[in-house]
Amino acid sequence: MIHIPRHDDCGNGRHAESNLAATRLKFVSFVCLQLVIIVIFAISNFSLPAAAQSVVADEVKHDTAGKTIEQGQSVHIDVNLALVNVTVTDPYDRVVTGLEPDNFRVFENDVEQEIQYFSSEDVPVSIGVIFDLSGSMANKVGKAKEAALQFFRTANPQDEFFLVSFNERAQLISAFTSSADDLQSRLLSASGKGRTALLDAIYLGLSEMRTARNGKRALLIISDGGDNNSRYNEKDIKRLVREANTQLYSIGIFEPFDNRNRTPEELNGPSLLNEVTELSGGRAFSVENINDLPDVATKIGTELRNQYILGYRPSDKSHDARWRKIKIKLRTPRGLPPLSVAAKTGYYSPGL
């Protein structure tokens, strides 16, 4: 049932008879071992949760529906799988659940792909919270902390979190932990001061995400936007976001647009957060009334729990390390209003 809430991825062999034969045997064994290591590493980085896996034929049939995977079904997948997390919302920005594989179409570089893996199950997530403690946040930190705590309350027992704070520099406050209480206690004593190294904080968060144990990964940025003290620039971060298998969400706490006291960095804040989150398939939320922060944090937590995972094997098999554009289109079920889709805009293909 489609649901719209009311509110708001060599045998034993004989001994060689010569040194040449023995050398060849060692070489073959070494190559086999390297291939096994490569396959294991690739699967660990691209495997789906059991609820989203399936065995399918190699033949590509464009514009055909993918097979729905039952929860608990375990299957083998290959290393060429591309995964896309997809959020669907209605005209009132409410998350839409209950869609089926044939409601989705996936295009890579304008070529339609066959959806071979599909899941809408709530799976464990590895989440990093990027928390702004710069001076411009001094009178907003209290509500921002409340928003972060509310977000932690949406967690599942299998989730894991880390916490990065930033002002003049980005700092890892807590590495991955499954204890939301530990992160809450670390946040309580924090206060806002100093300049803003937002881009450095995003870089640190994406770097820390490489140690995540869950396939589904997200960063939540809570900030009033802008940057005036980072070593990394926007180009560096956008490149890193494109390469990372991580969705970025942001809660931007902005002064009203007509406030003449806003600095150039603060004026650039909304566009900066919009651009980096859109690249990753996440979303940026703007807040002018800080009392709305906890509700927005809850909304993001709910959205992460109600996404679709689409998987396909790209029809382009080349390993050229080039950027490939992804476009998700919907076949909206009859009777529903026009729906919107949020998904990552592309990925870099494997290199040689």
Side-chain angles (χ1 to χ4, degrees), residues 105-157:
R105 301 175 71 186
V106 179
F107 295 82
E108 181 177 293
N109 285 346
D110 297 323
V111 177
E112 186 161 7
Q113 308 294 313
E114 181 185 11
I115 299 173
Q116 298 173 311
Y117 304 90
F118 177 89
S119 174
S120 57
E121 299 291 338
D122 180 3
V123 298
V125 188
S126 295
I127 301 171
V129 175
I130 312 298
F131 197 89
D132 190 345
L133 288 176
S134 63
S136 60
M137 284 283 292
N139 62 342
K140 311 166 191 173
V141 166
K143 278 295 179 182
K145 290 179 185 178
E146 191 177 327
L149 302 185
Q150 188 63 36
F151 180 74
F152 293 145
R153 293 188 187 108
T154 67
N156 286 347

Side-chain angles (χ1 to χ4, degrees), residues 10 55 57 79 104 110 122 144 148 218 317 337 343:
C10 293
V55 177
V79 299
F104 296 89
D110 297 323
D122 180 3
K317 307 298 183 184

Side-chain angles (χ1 to χ4, degrees), residues 37-57:
I37 292 173
I38 291 171
V39 170
I40 291 174
F41 176 80
I43 291 176
S44 69
N45 279 278
F46 291 94
S47 61
L48 275 170
Q53 300 177 0
S54 174
V55 177
V56 297

Side-chain angles (χ1 to χ4, degrees), residues 2 51 54 63-70 86 98-106 112-120 308-311 328-333:
I2 298 170
S54 174
D63 202 19
T64 60
K67 179 181 178 182
T68 301
I69 309 306
E70 301 298 332
V86 180
L99 297 177
E100 302 295 335
D102 59 1
N103 293 128
F104 296 89
R105 301 175 71 186
V106 179
E112 186 161 7
Q113 308 294 313
E114 181 185 11
I115 299 173
Q116 298 173 311
Y117 304 90
F118 177 89
S119 174
S120 57
Y308 303 91
I309 302 175
L310 310 181
I328 308 296
K329 295 184 179 181
L330 282 177
R331 298 183 180 95
T332 303

Side-chain angles (χ1 to χ4, degrees), residues 13-212:
R14 298 178 179 176
H15 289 294
E17 295 181 359
S18 67
N19 291 333
L20 178 59
T23 301
R24 287 174 176 172
L25 180 58
K26 290 179 181 178
F27 176 76
V28 171
S29 299
F30 174 78
V31 171
C32 289
L33 177 60
Q34 294 300 309
L35 288 173
V36 170
I37 292 173
I38 291 171
V39 170
I40 291 174
F41 176 80
I43 291 176
S44 69
N45 279 278
F46 291 94
S47 61
L48 275 170
Q53 300 177 0
S54 174
V55 177
V56 297
D58 288 333
E59 181 183 2
V60 174
K61 299 178 181 178
H62 295 294
D63 202 19
T64 60
K67 179 181 178 182
T68 301
I69 309 306
E70 301 298 332
Q71 187 169 7
Q73 183 177 355
S74 179
V75 295
H76 171 74
I77 59 176
D78 66 38
V79 299
N80 294 317
L81 183 70
L83 299 179
V84 188
N85 294 327
V86 180
T87 299
V88 181
T89 54
D90 72 359
Y92 298 96
D93 205 31
R94 299 175 300 189
V95 174
V96 177
T97 61
L99 297 177
E100 302 295 335
D102 59 1
N103 293 128
F104 296 89
R105 301 175 71 186
V106 179
F107 295 82
E108 181 177 293
N109 285 346
D110 297 323
V111 177
E112 186 161 7
Q113 308 294 313
E114 181 185 11
I115 299 173
Q116 298 173 311
Y117 304 90
F118 177 89
S119 174
S120 57
E121 299 291 338
D122 180 3
V123 298
V125 188
S126 295
I127 301 171
V129 175
I130 312 298
F131 197 89
D132 190 345
L133 288 176
S134 63
S136 60
M137 284 283 292
N139 62 342
K140 311 166 191 173
V141 166
K143 278 295 179 182
K145 290 179 185 178
E146 191 177 327
L149 302 185
Q150 188 63 36
F151 180 74
F152 293 145
R153 293 188 187 108
T154 67
N156 286 347
Q158 297 85 6
D159 291 345
E160 60 176 358
F161 297 91
F162 68 80
L163 177 62
V164 168
S165 70
F166 66 96
N167 42 36
E168 291 98 343
R169 64 188 182 91
Q171 182 179 4
L172 180 65
I173 301 299
S174 173
F176 273 116
T177 176
S178 57
S179 173
D181 291 338
D182 180 52
L183 297 183
Q184 292 176 24
S185 64
R186 293 174 182 267
L187 267 179
L188 289 177
S189 60
S191 59
K193 60 182 179 180
R195 305 188 73 186
T196 308
L198 171 59
L199 296 174
D200 285 357
I202 296 174
Y203 180 92
L204 178 58
L206 291 174
S207 299
E208 184 67 17
M209 193 61 74
R210 294 169 184 165
T211 65

